[in-house]
Amino acid sequence: MTPGRGKLYIVGIGPGHPDQMTVAAQKAIASSRYIVGNATYLDQIKSIIADQTIITSSMGKEIARAREALELASGNDNVSIISGGDAGIYGMAGIALEIADKTDADVDIEVVPGVTAASAAASILGSPITGDFAVISLSDLLTPWEDIERRLSSAAASDFVITLYNPKSRGRNTNFGRSIEIIKRHRKGSVPVGIVKDAFRGGESAVLTTLGDLLDFDDFVDMHTIIIIGNSESKLSGSMIITPRGYHRKYEY
Ligand code: SAH
């Protein structure tokens, strides 16, 4: 990095509460003159914002947001573009780096990782993603629905624990039900499922159910919700889901 040159931080700010933000994310934000992000995420970090200039942009305006952040960072000031959870998981890192690449932007860029919704929700549910798990978004805004169906089917058939991001949003209410039907073709109805809404935010709530009963909670599931579907070895212990790592195959305990 050249002294006096600006830098673009693409920062994952975690699931909600500032305690779940990394120190590196806090430092990146503190060192920035400009903070670019949508209103929900800016609200999440308001307690650590001092006199930075805030540039709010709306959901769905990611390309404009990335361009603006790159432009600002081509001067002498640091800029943080913020994403919820981890910026590299359905976040701003991909599009910001794609635009930097396409435009040959002469900007130093650092991606700062964050606690993603899957690990935040898993911690609330116990230890459901201890071993191999698949992460699938049900949003077909940017991914063809056929690809999503194929991935759901393969992950379910391969006995991956499955975490579902973006289960619903305005105008996309049927994807969730269709997805669960696909998973059920390959997996017993008795496997435990955790639904977590607003992890580490006000109004946090969690529901434990089974794959067979999951659609009874269709109305509870919304765009602030993540779902973790256990595999054939996942089990309930009190109010926790445990997916054994495999120690029982090797040790007595
Ligand atoms: N970059 C984010 C994901 C963005 S996609 C991350 O790494 O977590 C948005 C989806 O993530 C939501 O529809 C929801 O499924 C999930 N999500 C994000 N934050 C969440 C939270 N605090 N609680 C529950 N689900 C969350």
Side-chain angles (χ1 to χ4, degrees):
M1 187 179 155
T2 320
R5 217 171 115 91
K7 185 168 183 179
L8 176 62
Y9 292 101
I10 308 172
V11 186
I13 58 169
H17 196 279
D19 286 359
Q20 302 298 332
M21 203 184 314
T22 67
V23 175
Q26 295 180 31
K27 283 185 179 164
I29 289 167
S31 80
S32 294
R33 170 92 181 76
Y34 298 98
I35 317 278
V36 182
N38 78 41
T40 312
Y41 299 143
L42 287 164
D43 194 49
Q44 233 169 265
I45 58 167
K46 62 176 186 283
S47 65
I48 65 158
I49 291 182
D51 55 358
Q52 295 95 321
T53 304
I54 305 296
I55 300 170
T56 316
S57 69
S58 53
M59 270 305 187
K61 294 270 171 11
E62 290 83 3
I63 295 176
R65 205 187 308 163
R67 274 192 210 289
E68 183 166 16
L70 278 161
E71 199 143 301
L72 289 168
S74 64
N76 295 329
D77 296 308
N78 288 349
V79 178
S80 281
I81 182 163
I82 59 172
S83 264
D86 183 279
I89 301 178
Y90 312 119
M92 287 299 299
I95 186 63
L97 292 177
E98 272 188 68
I99 290 175
D101 180 56
K102 273 199 169 35
T103 56
D104 273 328
D106 183 23
V107 174
D108 294 320
I109 302 180
E110 185 177 327
V111 182
V112 182
V115 174
T116 190
S119 43
S123 74
I124 292 165
L125 296 169
S127 189
I129 54 173
T130 318
D132 298 334
F133 67 102
V135 176
I136 300 177
S137 165
L138 300 188
S139 170
D140 56 354
L141 291 177
L142 302 171
T143 304
W145 178 251
E146 307 80 73
D147 291 359
I148 298 173
E149 283 199 347
R150 190 165 30 82
R151 289 170 191 165
L152 285 165
S153 197
S154 311
S158 306
D159 206 28
F160 281 103
V161 171
I162 299 175
T163 64
L164 299 176
Y165 281 65
N166 292 303
K168 281 192 190 164
S169 71
R170 279 169 226 102
R172 259 193 325 103
N173 280 342
T174 53
N175 292 10
F176 177 62
R178 287 162 78 184
S179 303
I180 301 314
E181 293 307 332
I182 292 169
I183 295 170
K184 276 184 181 167
R185 284 183 213 147
H186 304 277
R187 197 160 292 191
K188 280 197 191 148
S190 57
V191 300
V193 170
I195 311 173
V196 180
K197 187 185 284 190
D198 286 316
F200 295 97
R201 296 178 185 152
E204 173 187 300
S205 51
V207 168
L208 282 179
T209 181
T210 60
L211 183 56
D213 291 339
L214 177 52
L215 290 180
D216 294 349
F217 297 92
D218 199 16
D219 288 345
F220 176 76
V221 171
D222 64 11
M223 65 195 295
H224 305 289
T225 308
I226 182 164
I227 293 108
I228 302 185
I229 300 170
N231 69 5
S232 61
E233 294 197 287
S234 304
K235 58 188 182 198
L236 267 186
S237 166
S239 60
M240 302 260 137
I241 300 176
I242 304 172
T243 301
R245 171 87 171 83
Y247 290 97
H248 60 286
R249 283 192 267 275
K250 202 164 176 192
Y251 302 100
E252 295 270 352
Y253 53 93

